[in-house]
Structure formats: C-alpha cells, structure tokens
Amino acid sequence: MPADPLHRAGMSQRSATSQPTNGSRASVIEVRRSARRRRTVSAYREGDRTVVLIPARMSEAEEQRWVTVMLDKLAAQESRRTFGDAELSERARRLSEQYFGGRAEAASVRWVTNQNTRWGSCTPSERSIRLSHRLQGMPEYVVDYVLCHELAHLLVPGHGPRFWRLLEAYPKTERARGYLEGVVAAERLPHVPGARDS
C-alpha cells in the first residue's frame, strides 16, 4: 500500500481546529512541518481548511507568527480578487469623489461575464457601468483605471481630447494602460507546444 504523502519521511503534520481570529473564511488551520523545507513558508486554501507549510526547525513562537502572517496574506489576496458588485460600486463612488469632484455618479456598477473583448462599458443614459470579470484578480490600480475610464464617460461620452484630459486626473492611467496592453499582447502570443503536445 502506498505511503500517505503527508506522512513521508521528513514530514510531520499538526492541525488546529479553531476559527482563525482574523476573520478568515477558513475554519481549520493545518500546519505541516517539513525537514526538507529550509527557509520558505507558504499557505493555500483547501476547501474550508488553510494549510500552512513551514520548516520543521521553526519554534512554536515562529510558527504562530508565520501562521498569522500567511492568513493575513491569503485574506488580502482574496479580497483583491473577489470584491463583489457592492464593493465595486463603493469603489466607483470614492474614485468619483477623488478624481472628478463627485460629478460622475453611476446608478449601477457591476461585474459582467459577457464582455470578452472590452474591459468595461458605460451607458451614460442609464448611468450604468459594467466591468469585465477578466479584470478580477488584476492589480487594484488597473481596476481603478477602468472604473475611472467608465466614470469619465458619464461626463464626456466620446474619446475626444476633453475625455482624455479628464482622465489625466487619475495618476496611474499610463501604467494601467500599459498593463492592459501587455495582457492583450500576451493573449495574442502563439501557442508554444509543450512536452505533452508532442
């Protein structure tokens, strides 16, 4: 019978079953120590369990510190990736206040899954903004740029000089545009056959 991969030589396991104190969605924290792991610490979600991988030589105090650090890191990654429509609307409201003096008021802001060739769209007559789900997981400054772009359309419908002057208020416009251009360019790269393709 094959050995359990969690109990191979050089690896031990310890589980805690308490609710994390930082509000994380996972209900179980499992710490796995490895003699082969020298310096690195990593963590990932496995259902309702958070698995934290640490070097075997770590003290209990170091373990507790790293568990807290990794739970916070995972929570931050998840919040960046998965904020919903309500958070998106609030974000748009804050951006309008900050960059457009509150003049760009959207009636609705939401994620959509039917925009695969554009990052966002706006219907000025309805004051509605829709962002492509493909933006989820991209850096926040990129999402903010697309929101600002669509908010600016509530004030100026076309892409003329007046529109671009208005959008210059957002300081990371060029950086975000470069990021999105890079994503588009990467999607156009030809498929490079791998070892499994031959």
Side-chain angles (χ1 to χ4, degrees):
M1 177 155 75
D4 179 348
L6 297 179
H7 294 96
R8 289 186 301 239
M11 183 174 286
S12 62
Q13 172 184 337
R14 201 185 97 223
S15 295
T17 56
S18 60
Q19 177 72 31
T21 56
N22 69 348
S24 164
R25 66 176 174 81
S27 61
V28 176
I29 302 165
E30 181 178 310
V31 177
R32 297 179 187 168
R33 291 176 172 263
S34 170
R36 284 184 268 175
R37 189 175 280 268
R38 298 284 180 228
R39 289 187 295 267
T40 60
V41 176
S42 62
Y44 60 91
R45 303 283 192 209
E46 193 173 76
D48 69 346
R49 177 183 307 267
T50 300
V51 178
V52 182
L53 306 170
I54 64 171
R57 63 172 176 71
M58 270 193 185
S59 69
E60 290 290 319
E62 288 175 310
E63 174 185 314
Q64 287 304 312
R65 183 176 71 82
W66 276 106
V67 165
T68 300
V69 165
M70 298 311 287
L71 287 174
D72 289 345
K73 190 173 182 177
L74 282 173
Q77 289 171 349
E78 289 165 353
S79 69
R80 279 196 303 271
R81 272 197 305 267
T82 60
F83 55 90
D85 290 352
E87 292 88 355
L88 199 61
S89 289
E90 176 57 24
R91 192 176 203 94
R93 188 196 62 73
R94 284 195 317 265
L95 290 167
S96 174
E97 285 292 326
Q98 188 172 359
Y99 298 112
F100 305 114
R103 295 178 298 131
E105 295 179 30
S108 73
V109 183
R110 61 191 174 92
W111 295 108
V112 294
T113 58
N114 62 352
Q115 290 191 102
N116 294 315
T117 58
R118 10 170 54 174
W119 298 113
S121 62
C122 172
T123 306
S125 62
E126 297 173 2
R127 306 197 72 69
S128 64
I129 292 173
R130 293 158 307 281
L131 263 57
S132 171
H133 71 285
R134 296 181 309 139
L135 288 164
Q136 292 175 325
M138 289 190 188
E140 290 183 6
Y141 75 91
V142 175
V143 176
D144 286 351
Y145 162 72
V146 177
L147 276 172
C148 283
H149 185 107
E150 301 310 332
L151 286 166
H153 278 309
L154 294 176
L155 303 172
V156 179
H159 286 106
R162 192 167 147 242
F163 171 84
W164 292 111
R165 276 195 305 276
L166 190 62
L167 196 53
E168 284 174 2
Y170 182 64
K172 295 183 180 174
T173 290
E174 288 306 312
R175 183 178 173 199
R177 289 183 72 188
Y179 183 98
L180 292 171
E181 286 170 5
V183 170
V184 170
E187 289 173 351
R188 291 182 182 151
L189 289 174
H191 173 68
V192 178
R196 285 181 283 189
D197 295 336
S198 48

